[in-house]
């Protein structure tokens, strides 16, 4: 029953339960497997649809006057996807379910990216910089990790490999 409650909370936007879900375990038997998979998929789809609605609203609400504003909207959208990526890579989920959800999320992001490219190429004032930003819109979040606050955040240590030297100001 605890899994159901945690999944409901996550489905309703409570990201704080990700740590508990990640550390949890679930014994799947023939009677519970299909119900569990269906429940996880429902929660995932709900969060994915909520993300899409917010992302589309950001493009409808704001009249982007500069490339920087457009890039900010893309960056915010990508950062908000980190929660979904954290969910689909939960170690407590069965591997086949994780793989299925992760593949779906990758396909979803590719579809969004292709739609953005298609729409951007129709606008004559779009420059190469915007196309580059769209090309960088993906799930490659190697600089993002799951932290103790239960949200995906930037981890500056991963951005640049250590050269062994320290610079002191």
């Amino acid at each position: 029953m605890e899994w159901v409650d945690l999944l409901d909370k996550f489905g309703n936007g409570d990201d704080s339960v990700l740590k508990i879900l990640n550390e949890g375990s679930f014994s799947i038997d023939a009677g519970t497997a299909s119900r569990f998979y269906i429940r996880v998929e429902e929660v995932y789809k709900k969060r994915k649809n909520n993300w899409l609605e917010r992302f589309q609203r950001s493009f409808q609400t704001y009249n982007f006057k500069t490339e920087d504003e457009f890039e900010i909207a893309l960056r915010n959208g990508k950062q908000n996807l980190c929660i979904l990526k954290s969910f689909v890579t939960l170690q407590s989920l069965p591997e086949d379910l994780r793989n299925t959800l992760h593949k779906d999320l990758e396909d979803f992001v590719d579809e969004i990216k292709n739609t953005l490219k298609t729409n951007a190429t129709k606008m004559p004032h779009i420059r190469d910089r915007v196309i580059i930003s769209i090309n960088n819109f993906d799930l490659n979040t190697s600089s993002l990790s799951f932290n103790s606050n239960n949200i995906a955040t930037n981890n500056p240590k991963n951005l640049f490999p250590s050269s062994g030297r320290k610079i002191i100001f």
Side-chain angles (χ1 to χ4, degrees):
M1 188 61 147
E2 186 176 336
W3 270 94
V4 173
D5 294 337
L6 293 172
L7 288 172
D8 283 342
K9 286 181 180 181
F10 180 75
N12 291 322
D14 184 354
D15 300 333
S16 68
V17 299
L18 278 175
K19 183 177 182 183
I20 299 167
L21 288 170
N22 196 48
E23 294 172 351
S25 63
F26 186 79
S27 299
I28 296 180
D29 58 34
T32 59
S34 65
R35 289 192 316 258
F36 177 74
Y37 278 50
I38 290 169
R39 187 72 183 135
V40 169
E41 184 180 0
E42 287 171 350
V43 167
Y44 162 72
K45 285 181 178 180
K46 182 177 181 181
R47 286 297 297 257
K48 186 172 76 167
N49 288 333
N50 288 342
W51 177 90
L52 182 59
E53 288 173 9
R54 284 193 316 266
F55 189 68
Q56 288 175 331
R57 195 175 19 229
S58 73
F59 281 88
Q60 293 168 351
T61 305
Y62 302 107
N63 184 14
F64 301 115
K65 294 182 174 117
T66 66
E67 294 171 354
D68 290 334
E69 291 173 348
F70 184 81
E71 288 175 353
I72 289 169
L74 286 178
R75 186 192 68 223
N76 289 343
K78 185 176 177 178
Q79 286 176 340
N80 291 331
L81 279 173
C82 293
I83 295 297
L84 276 172
K85 183 168 183 184
S86 294
F87 181 73
V88 301
T89 58
L90 288 171
Q91 293 303 305
S92 57
L93 295 178
E95 185 177 356
D96 62 332
L97 180 58
R98 272 196 322 264
N99 292 339
T100 300
L101 293 176
H102 194 267
K103 174 74 171 118
D104 180 79
L105 187 58
E106 286 176 340
D107 293 345
F108 174 72
V109 171
D110 286 343
E111 184 179 334
I112 297 294
K113 187 175 169 177
N114 290 333
T115 301
L116 288 169
K117 280 184 193 177
T118 301
N119 291 336
T121 56
K122 293 178 184 176
M123 296 183 274
H125 65 281
I126 295 295
R127 296 205 173 96
D128 292 337
R129 186 172 145 197
V130 170
I131 299 298
I132 291 170
S133 295
I134 292 171
N135 285 334
N136 289 327
F137 188 81
D138 58 20
L139 285 178
N140 183 12
T141 54
S142 60
S143 64
L144 297 168
S145 65
F146 193 76
N147 77 2
S148 61
N149 293 328
N150 306 321
I151 58 173
T153 58
N154 279 328
N155 186 355
K157 293 178 184 175
N158 293 338
L159 292 177
F160 303 103
S162 175
S163 64
R165 296 185 288 171
K166 293 183 181 178
I167 299 173
I168 300 173
F169 293 96

